[in-house]
Amino acid sequence: MYPSKHKEIVTSLMSGKFITIDDSTFNVLKENKEFYLEFFDKSFGFDLKNTQEFYYLISDETNENTSRDISIFFSILCYELDKDGENFMDKLGFSDFHIDEIVEYISNSTWADVVKVNNQLKDADSIKKLVGSTMVKRNITRKHSDGKYSFTKAYRLFIDFARELIKTETNEAEK
Amino acid sequence: MHFLANHFDLLRQLFDIQVKNEVILKSQVNETLNEFESDVEGQLFEHKVLVEQNDDYVINEPYFVLFEFVLQQFKPLLPEEIEKYGQSIRTLSLNIKEGINNDKNILLDRIEALSNEIKKFKNAVTNNTISLLNESRELKANTRRIEYQEKVQKARYLIEYYIIPLNTILDLNHSQSIYNELLAISQFSNNKRFDYFDESIRRQFEKLYNLLKQVVKDISHQSTILSNELLPLLDRIKTESEYLQGFIYYLTNMNCYKEIKPPMLFNTTRDNPYSPYIYENTKEYFEQFKNEEDVFITEESTDIEQWIFNKSEYKSKLNSMLPVTDFFSWCKKALENEKADFDIDSYFIVTSLIFEVEYDIQRDRDNQSISLKTDHGEFIMPKLKINQRKNVSK
């Protein structure tokens, strides 16, 4: 017998979605982790990854451009939030953002050179599409009423990645 | 005190200037007086609130300490400055123990001196904790909007030079901590307040013991603030700084577009309008129709020639042949002459001539029968002779 919500879990993960701790399927996935690890590996050759807060699939083929754009997006947003005196960890974890607010942080960023050459960040419409479509589809952002968005715990993947860069750099320098 | 109360805002501004710049420039004194529209310059020097230092001014030490206390804005003391109290406490404590049976007066003075040093130590620790907590919170919220690099530097500086050493001083588990020294003195004075032979000395030990009871409690509280609030706060600043360093590294020099690989992200084909198998799939789809033969649907012709029985024609044919010995066979032949593949219905219509009144029908004398084979079966019929009836009125 398959676990409950099996179809929903498989469909979500196969469409590139993150299943986060706030999703109803998270606990089913957690309780049946071994089953799903084997299921995705044996059925499709995909690797099911997880942290304490989210699950996601990876395969040999990665969507590098989208991942890079999202990583740049979070790096800039966090940097600007910090500069603005905000606690970016708390803000990303617990606050809603109006899309105009997000656009403003990115568009007025000091990292203009990085922004202007990026097709997903270069203007307001592109940023709105990245946040409101690409990231919603992957369950990285959630859309609320009145043009507001919040971030799911999946944002941690992209900021932890940046933090790891420094650790890797330090380790390599020490070697 | 009256002067201080009346001009508190002005004095506070001068205090803030000194906290920020170490000294107060002459021009800053004038600017502040003008801002508050005040003419108390003379009184500032008269009451010795301001004293000259080289060409500039500073707030006189006792007033400065008072403002620090009133405003709860203490410049954090370096651990070395706090540690000096530890040294004097240790020395006095040792001297008291060693000279416990010597001169009474020096013993009293030493106990009093020890109490004073303990009070100073306690104040230094309390003030330091408050100021470090304020600085850390301020740094955390970045109220001064300082640049990231400066913030990280400041956080590291606070942790390295102030907070970790202060934690060591207060650490219960650290054998050399002043906190442990105080506990030892407390235990010693607790014993001596009961078993010392001189009453005045016993009273001094009693006072020292009571003071230590409070001080140990206060220091323990400061230590709790340090471990529960200050260290996690700074730890968080440290964590955030690691993230920020990561972001900066990723974005600097366009590194994000160079060799750094972003996190693996599942590649979905559902959204891809051009599937890698589109050619094969399309080919397969069309190939299923490739070898199919053309089919022409022709409707069955409904234009069947309708056979109409021409009775008079057949009658005249029959009449010309009379007498006919085998009526049914004649009918077959007559019909075959007109239509080779006649159907059985047409045949029976032709045979209806038998019922015409002008004919006389006679059965064959030998009772012979004839057979007619058709697609539908074999008809066995009597052999009938047909002739013209003689008495028929015309």
Side-chain angles (χ1 to χ4, degrees):
Chain A
M1 285 295 289
Y2 291 108
S4 65
K5 300 184 177 179
H6 174 72
K7 189 178 172 187
E8 194 183 335
I9 290 170
V10 175
T11 316
S12 293
L13 291 170
M14 294 283 280
S15 60
K17 269 185 162 54
F18 286 82
I19 291 182
T20 70
I21 197 160
D22 302 320
D23 296 318
S24 60
T25 46
F26 182 84
N27 281 336
V28 183
L29 202 46
K30 193 176 168 186
E31 283 158 19
N32 299 283
K33 189 184 161 188
E34 291 307 313
F35 165 78
Y36 279 109
L37 275 172
E38 197 177 334
F39 174 83
F40 283 111
D41 181 37
K42 294 276 191 291
S43 312
F44 309 102
F46 296 155
D47 203 0
L48 179 68
K49 294 278 184 188
N50 78 290
T51 68
Q52 294 288 320
E53 296 174 315
F54 56 86
Y55 283 81
Y56 64 108
L57 275 185
I58 59 168
S59 63
D60 292 339
E61 207 180 330
T62 174
N63 199 334
E64 193 172 315
N65 283 354
T66 306
S67 180
R68 182 200 62 203
D69 295 341
I70 297 173
S71 301
I72 294 173
F73 169 82
F74 278 118
S75 293
I76 293 178
L77 183 63
C78 291
Y79 180 87
E80 294 301 326
L81 282 170
D82 179 75
K83 212 173 74 179
D84 218 14
E86 298 280 4
N87 186 326
F88 65 86
M89 299 286 280
D90 287 349
K91 259 303 231 188
L92 290 187
F94 306 106
S95 297
D96 289 352
F97 291 82
H98 193 278
I99 187 67
D100 293 342
E101 191 186 354
I102 295 174
V103 168
E104 204 170 314
Y105 274 124
I106 304 294
S107 303
N108 297 335
S109 167
T110 42
W111 300 97
D113 51 341
V114 177
V115 171
K116 72 180 178 194
V117 296
N118 191 302
N119 284 338
Q120 311 302 317
L121 302 169
K122 64 181 180 187
D123 54 44
D125 286 343
S126 310
I127 299 166
K128 284 177 185 175
K129 194 174 159 226
L130 179 71
V131 176
S133 176
T134 309
M135 286 163 73
V136 166
K137 262 193 259 176
R138 289 192 180 262
N139 197 28
I140 301 167
T141 48
R142 282 210 181 93
K143 192 174 183 173
H144 305 290
S145 56
D146 305 332
K148 286 190 171 173
Y149 291 87
S150 63
F151 296 99
T152 69
K153 293 287 181 285
Y155 79 87
R156 292 293 296 256
L157 178 70
F158 301 95
I159 69 163
D160 284 350
F161 146 76
R163 186 188 184 190
E164 286 303 312
L165 289 177
I166 288 300
K167 288 187 180 169
T168 318
E169 277 292 298
T170 315
N171 288 343
E172 277 174 12
E174 280 170 4
K175 279 176 196 170
Chain B
M1 285 309 286
H2 190 64
F3 175 77
L4 294 180
N6 283 346
H7 302 283
F8 184 75
D9 289 340
L10 183 145
L11 294 169
R12 183 183 181 157
Q13 184 149 323
L14 291 173
F15 172 79
D16 288 341
I17 293 170
Q18 186 171 329
V19 167
K20 200 174 166 191
N21 305 327
E22 304 283 330
V23 291
I24 308 167
L25 304 177
K26 275 182 179 172
S27 58
Q28 286 171 320
V29 174
N30 291 332
E31 278 165 23
T32 310
L33 287 167
N34 289 338
E35 194 182 323
F36 284 87
E37 294 174 354
S38 175
D39 56 355
V40 293
E41 189 177 356
Q43 285 163 285
L44 285 174
F45 296 103
E46 193 182 313
H47 294 300
K48 292 186 179 167
V49 176
L50 288 184
V51 289
E52 208 163 347
Q53 183 172 292
N54 300 328
D55 289 335
D56 306 313
Y57 300 110
V58 289
I59 296 173
N60 206 358
E61 181 70 17
Y63 288 112
F64 192 84
V65 173
L66 178 68
F67 284 128
E68 277 190 323
F69 178 75
V70 173
L71 298 169
Q72 291 286 291
Q73 283 183 14
F74 306 100
K75 188 180 187 310
L77 291 174
L78 274 169
E80 293 90 320
E81 293 175 90
I82 298 177
E83 182 60 32
K84 75 179 179 200
Y85 297 115
Q87 286 302 333
S88 57
I89 289 169
R90 281 191 197 97
T91 311
L92 282 166
S93 162
L94 193 68
N95 289 345
I96 289 169
K97 281 176 193 166
E98 283 176 353
I100 192 81
N101 294 320
N102 295 349
D103 185 70
K104 178 187 160 186
N105 289 332
I106 188 70
L107 185 60
L108 279 171
D109 285 350
R110 279 173 179 160
I111 293 172
E112 198 182 333
L114 180 61
S115 298
N116 286 337
E117 287 302 292
I118 288 170
K119 281 179 199 162
K120 282 181 194 168
F121 170 73
K122 190 218 112 179
N123 287 337
V125 168
T126 310
N127 295 348
N128 239 32
T129 317
I130 292 169
S131 56
L132 287 174
L133 203 57
N134 286 342
E135 290 225 13
S136 306
R137 282 176 179 157
E138 205 173 88
L139 198 60
K140 183 81 181 60
N142 200 4
T143 48
R144 289 185 213 153
R145 302 280 166 102
I146 56 173
E147 280 297 317
Y148 157 75
Q149 294 291 0
E150 197 187 336
K151 182 175 155 177
V152 172
Q153 214 172 8
K154 182 92 179 160
R156 278 192 185 152
Y157 170 78
L158 279 181
I159 295 171
E160 197 175 331
Y161 293 108
Y162 286 89
I163 290 155
I164 292 174
L166 181 61
N167 201 33
T168 310
I169 289 170
L170 304 181
D171 189 0
L172 186 64
N173 299 318
H174 200 285
S175 60
Q176 292 302 305
S177 79
I178 304 175
Y179 184 73
N180 277 332
E181 185 69 37
L182 294 178
L183 286 178
I185 299 170
S186 175
Q187 203 176 359
F188 178 76
S189 55
N190 192 23
N191 286 335
K192 294 295 165 200
R193 72 184 170 130
F194 294 119
D195 73 353
Y196 200 81
F197 57 87
D198 183 273
E199 198 196 337
S200 60
I201 302 281
R202 277 208 307 274
R203 257 202 316 273
Q204 280 305 317
F205 273 121
E206 173 86 26
K207 278 188 195 168
L208 180 63
Y209 175 73
N210 287 332
L211 171 73
L212 278 164
K213 230 167 54 169
Q214 187 57 45
V215 167
V216 164
K217 199 176 148 193
D218 288 349
I219 298 283
S220 167
H221 178 62
Q222 299 307 318
S223 177
T224 310
I225 293 175
L226 203 63
S227 3
N228 290 355
E229 196 161 351
L230 202 48
L231 288 176
L233 193 66
L234 284 156
D235 195 43
R236 189 146 182 192
I237 293 174
K238 205 173 138 203
T239 309
E240 276 181 13
S241 80
E242 283 173 4
Y243 276 113
L244 285 162
Q245 274 178 287
F247 300 145
I248 289 168
Y249 177 75
Y250 188 51
L251 298 170
T252 304
N253 296 329
M254 300 291 225
N255 280 342
C256 49
Y257 298 116
K258 292 176 187 167
E259 77 280 5
I260 298 172
K261 297 271 179 215
M264 299 277 280
L265 197 60
F266 192 68
N267 197 16
T268 57
T269 51
R270 206 182 68 168
D271 295 328
N272 193 346
Y274 192 84
S275 148
Y277 306 111
I278 189 76
Y279 176 72
E280 286 76 8
N281 291 347
T282 313
K283 203 170 156 191
E284 188 184 355
Y285 179 78
F286 281 104
E287 274 180 353
Q288 64 181 315
F289 306 111
K290 199 176 171 184
N291 298 323
E292 204 165 76
E293 286 179 14
D294 291 344
V295 176
F296 298 99
I297 300 169
T298 51
E299 284 186 12
E300 201 178 331
S301 174
T302 51
D303 191 21
I304 297 170
E305 197 184 341
Q306 195 70 37
W307 180 76
I308 298 166
F309 178 46
N310 190 339
K311 193 178 174 180
S312 59
E313 191 187 330
Y314 273 80
K315 212 169 175 176
S316 67
K317 274 182 190 173
L318 183 60
N319 290 342
S320 66
M321 296 295 288
L322 288 174
V324 171
T325 55
D326 186 351
F327 174 70
F328 289 116
S329 295
W330 178 85
C331 288
K332 179 175 174 263
K333 279 178 193 164
L335 198 55
E336 273 174 346
N337 285 337
E338 189 188 341
K339 195 179 169 196
D341 55 344
F342 64 88
D343 59 56
I344 200 72
D345 292 340
S346 307
Y347 177 72
F348 283 115
I349 292 171
V350 175
T351 59
S352 64
L353 285 171
I354 201 169
F355 302 111
E356 292 295 314
V357 290
E358 65 255 49
Y359 299 119
D360 182 31
I361 310 297
Q362 285 181 333
R363 181 77 193 264
D364 180 67
R365 286 181 185 167
D366 299 330
N367 275 342
Q368 280 186 358
S369 296
I370 59 146
S371 156
L372 177 67
K373 287 183 180 172
T374 70
D375 294 341
H376 301 287
E378 186 182 5
F379 295 92
I380 308 294
M381 293 172 291
K383 189 178 177 183
L384 299 176
K385 186 183 174 183
I386 185 164
N387 208 344
Q388 193 77 43
R389 189 177 287 239
K390 288 176 180 171
N391 305 322
V392 178
S393 59
K394 296 194 179 174

